C-alpha cells in the first residue's frame, strides 16, 4: 500500500530525476556489484529499475529499457559484466523476492 503522506512525494521531480540518474550511473560504474547480489541484499537490481521506468511511462520495450539502465545492450552486459551465480546467491535472491512479495501485501 502506498502512503500518500510520504514526504518523498513532495520531493521536486527535477531533484528526484537527478538522484535517479546518479544512482543509475553509479550502478553502471560499479558493474562489480552483480544484479544477483543486489537482488539478494536489497531486493532490486538494474533490471528492476528498467521495469520501473517502463511502469512509470517509458515507451521503450524491455530490451531498450535495460540497455538504458545498463548503458549497453543486455546481451553485451551479460557477456562482459555478468558472472555465474552461485547456489547461495540464488537462494538469497529467492528469499529476498519472497520478502518483497510479503512486504507488498
Amino acid at each position: 500500500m502506498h502512503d500518500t503522506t510520504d514526504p518523498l512525494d513532495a520531493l521536486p521531480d527535477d531533484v528526484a530525476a537527478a538522484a535517479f540518474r546518479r544512482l543509475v550511473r553509479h550502478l553502471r560504474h560499479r558493474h562489480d556489484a552483480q544484479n544477483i547480489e543486489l537482488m539478494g541484499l536489497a531486493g532490486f537490481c538494474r533490471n528492476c529499475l528498467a521495469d520501473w521506468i517502463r511502469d512509470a511511462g517509458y515507451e521503450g520495450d524491455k530490451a531498450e529499457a535495460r540497455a538504458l539502465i545498463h548503458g549497453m545492450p543486455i546481451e553485451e552486459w551479460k557477456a562482459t559484466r555478468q558472472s555465474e551465480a552461485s547456489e547461495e546467491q540464488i537462494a538469497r535472491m529467492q528469499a529476498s523476492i519472497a520478502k518483497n512479495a510479503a512486504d507488498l501485501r
Side-chain angles (χ1 to χ4, degrees), residues 18-90:
F20 173 78
R21 288 184 181 102
R22 186 172 180 181
L23 169 64
V24 170
R25 287 184 179 116
H26 179 78
L27 290 171
R28 285 179 180 175
H29 173 71
R30 288 297 309 271
H31 56 81
D32 59 311
Q34 295 289 300
N35 279 342
I36 190 109
E37 293 168 338
L38 293 170
M39 284 298 299
L41 180 63
F44 82 98
C45 69
R46 294 167 184 85
N47 296 334
C48 296
L49 291 174
D51 292 343
W52 296 345
I53 64 170
R54 291 184 69 217
D55 292 347
Y58 177 70
E59 294 184 4
D61 65 16
K62 186 182 230 178
E64 291 169 324
R66 286 186 176 186
L68 179 70
I69 297 299
H70 287 81
M72 63 185 69
I74 192 66
E75 297 80 15
E76 182 180 346
W77 171 268
K78 287 180 179 181
T80 63
R81 305 284 197 273
Q82 185 170 304
S83 61
E84 189 73 28
S86 70
E87 289 183 27
E88 184 179 310
Q89 288 173 313
I90 293 169

